[in-house]
Structures are given as C-alpha cells and as structure tokens.
Amino acid sequence: MSGHPALFLALLLALAGSFALSWLFTGRVLAYLRRRAILDHPNDRSSHSIPTPRGGGWGVMLTLLPVWTLIAMTADHTLRALPILAGTVALMAVSWMDDRRGLGPAPRFLAQIAAVVAGLSALPGDGLVFQGILPFWADRLVAAVGWLWFVNLFNFMDGIDGLAGSEATSIGVGLALVAALGALDPVLALYGLAAAGAALGFLVWNWHPAKLFMGDVGSVPLGFALGWLLLVLAASGMWVAALLIPAYFLADATLTLLRRLAEGKKVWQAHREHFYQKATQRGRTHAQVVRLVLALNATLLLLAAASLALGWTVLPAGAAAVVLLLAVLARPARAAA
C-alpha cells in the first residue's frame, strides 16, 4: 500500500465499505431479531419505554471481523492480528450467550481476561505503553488491567440510543487521524476507519429513537478491539492522544464506578447512575446528550492531533473540556436552556 493515492483509496474504501456492509448487515439482523422476538424489555434500569430488538452488534462485528482480516492479510499483519481476531470471536460468542440467557459475571470476566492476556502478544514487541516508567512486565500487567476495564466500561456506556456507536466512530476517526499525522503504520489508520465505518452503519439504525440496540454481542468485543488500537497507539509513543481520544467514556465510567464504590453499592449490578443516564432523567433527549458528547469528542480529537506537536501540555485543556461536559450533563435541562 505504498504511495499516497493508493493509501488514500484504501482508507476511503475501509470507511465507505465498512459503512455500507454494516448498514446492510444491521438491517438484516434487525429483521432476524424481530422475527425471533429477541427483545430488550423495559425495566426500572432501562432508558427505553418499549420492547426493542437487542443484538444489533452482530451487524457491526460481522462487518469488522472480515474487513480487519482482509486488512491484516493485505498488509502481512495476519499473525499479529490473529490473537485480536480470535479474542473478538470468543467474546462475541460469550456475550451473545449472555444476551440470550444471562450468564453470571464469572464466565464473562474469565473470557475477557483470557482474550486480553492473549491479545497482549499483539502489542508492539518493543513498545512500552507507559513509555518506560514501568519495567516491561509491569507495563504489560497494567496495560492488561486497563484494557480489561476498557472492555467493561464500553459495555457500561452503551445505555442510550446512539452513544456507543458515536463513541466508536469518534475513536476510529481519531485513531486514523493521529496515525496519519504521526506517520505511523498505515494499517492502524485502516483499522480505525474500518471500525468507524462499521459503527456508522449501525448508528443509522440505532440513532434515537433506536430501531434496535447493540447488546453485549457488540459492545464487549468492540470495546476489546478498540482498546487494542488505543494501546498500540500509546505503545507507539502517542500516549497523550491515546488518553484524549476516549476521554469522555473513561471519565464518565470511572468516576461513576468510584462514586458507587464509595457509597458501598454493588458495582457489578446494572444501574442508571452514569452522567449520560442522569442527563436523560433530568430532561435531555438521547439525541441531545449524544450531540453534546460528539461536540466534546471533536474537541478531544483536535487536542489529540495537537499533542503530536505539543505533547502532554494539551492534557489540562482536554481534562477541562471533559469536566465541563460532565457538569453540563449533571444540570437539569431547564436550567441549561
């Protein structure tokens, strides 16, 4: 894939092709879910009021897996990507069982640990995620814990229409932008745009009011795949960008977890206490919340690009932008008007 015209065409195909396939597959999945009456019924923790098909993540993942496989084969990255592709398939299988029958936390967590441990071999062999602050063994251990948390937080944050799909799109575009500006291996940009396209194709069906939900079959393996790309970006020396790109999801999920821990609540139980969920309870629509998050993400992507020249000095601006959004989401909609 040498040469700028060829690379540009490959990037365009990764984005547009993944979008088209995901849009098509998600529509087919929706018809199947309706036919089989595989529905998410509202309960006291739900953000929806009518039974809605759940499992739309099949459309995303049935796009992402073959496209990533094609990218890996074309770029001679098959062996490196194999643990990620295999881990993604395994997490899809376990998560679909959870969507359909409800697994306990132990089998879900063990499957995630196995996928993450295997996936560590797909990180750059000489790249340290934490830039040499930790010895190699500790670098990989802390990276594994962070990766495991990212898999779960991406699942936790899939709670209102359009949010997970929008975040996956933002992360994919951000990865591609930073990889291109930083002259990294073009394969990283291709993976990122393929993920963005797959998320966008799903988002057509999932924008408020959603025709279907992603379900664990989409959010868990998608969080695993995106987490790998972010760790690769950090191990390539661009750790500031790797922090900024997913900063909203990291902040909302982590602060909510810490607050629930401090209150002595069972953190593994489903709830409606994330900032984005409280915003909908206080009068904002799903679409309004997601648009605010997208505006923040656009700012974070610009800061991530700026970090290539300015380094860690852009982090305070990113943190301030995230805190500002969390404060806005915490206010009643009438007071914000």
Side-chain angles (χ1 to χ4, degrees):
M1 285 183 288
S2 61
H4 293 301
L7 177 57
F8 178 78
L9 180 59
L11 292 169
L12 183 62
L13 285 174
L15 179 64
S18 295
F19 169 80
L21 285 175
S22 180
W23 174 81
L24 176 63
F25 288 159
T26 303
R28 298 293 178 88
V29 167
L30 174 59
Y32 171 81
L33 295 172
R34 284 174 172 168
R35 190 165 59 249
R36 298 294 297 271
I38 301 174
L39 305 174
D40 192 328
H41 294 276
N43 56 45
D44 58 350
R45 296 184 303 273
S46 301
S47 296
H48 62 289
S49 57
I50 60 173
T52 304
R54 179 177 61 180
W58 277 109
V60 179
M61 302 315 299
L62 290 176
T63 297
L64 196 62
L65 279 168
V67 173
W68 273 24
T69 300
L70 179 61
I71 292 171
M73 292 175 63
T74 303
D76 199 23
H77 274 228
T78 306
L79 287 178
R80 174 175 291 183
L82 188 58
I84 303 304
L85 298 173
T88 300
V89 170
L91 291 179
M92 286 175 62
V94 172
S95 299
W96 181 239
M97 287 189 284
D98 189 37
D99 279 335
R100 297 293 286 120
R101 295 192 291 272
L103 298 176
R108 298 198 309 264
F109 201 57
L110 287 173
Q112 293 167 12
I113 291 173
V116 165
V117 170
L120 290 175
S121 64
L123 295 179
D126 56 351
L128 295 174
V129 175
F130 297 94
Q131 311 307 303
I133 296 174
L134 302 173
F136 182 82
W137 67 269
D139 183 272
R140 289 300 189 258
L141 177 61
V142 177
V145 173
W147 194 353
L148 190 61
W149 172 229
F150 191 80
V151 171
N152 283 277
L153 75 84
F154 203 89
N155 183 32
F156 298 158
M157 296 293 288
D158 179 27
I160 62 172
D161 299 350
L163 184 59
S166 295
E167 183 70 11
T169 301
S170 298
I171 291 174
V173 170
L175 283 160
L177 175 65
V178 173
L181 293 177
L184 298 181
D185 188 338
V187 174
L188 184 60
L190 288 169
Y191 284 143
L193 287 183
L200 273 174
F202 167 78
L203 196 57
V204 173
W205 302 93
N206 182 243
W207 190 260
H208 185 69
K211 296 180 176 63
L212 82 173
F213 298 149
M214 185 178 290
D216 288 6
V217 71
S219 61
V220 171
L222 187 56
F224 172 73
L226 293 174
W228 172 59
L229 294 183
L230 290 167
L231 287 175
V232 170
L233 188 65
S236 301
M238 299 180 183
W239 64 273
V240 176
L243 272 178
L244 285 169
I245 290 169
Y248 168 66
F249 263 36
L250 289 172
D252 191 326
T254 303
L255 290 174
T256 301
L257 174 74
L258 293 175
R259 185 178 67 242
R260 286 174 57 80
L261 277 173
E263 294 171 352
K265 295 179 179 178
K266 297 177 179 178
V267 296
W268 58 87
Q269 289 184 343
H271 60 85
R272 296 182 63 195
E273 298 182 20
H274 288 285
F275 286 87
Y276 73 87
Q277 291 170 319
K278 289 188 174 183
T280 61
Q281 296 163 30
R282 290 167 176 155
R284 297 185 188 275
T285 68
H286 292 213
Q288 287 172 336
V289 173
V290 175
R291 289 191 188 103
L292 286 171
V293 173
L294 284 171
L296 169 65
N297 284 349
T299 301
L300 293 173
L301 296 196
L302 290 175
L303 290 172
S307 73
L308 300 183
L310 302 176
W312 64 268
T313 60
V314 301
L315 283 176
V322 172
V323 170
L324 177 61
L325 177 62
L326 295 179
V328 170
L329 295 180
R331 296 170 59 191
R334 289 185 299 277

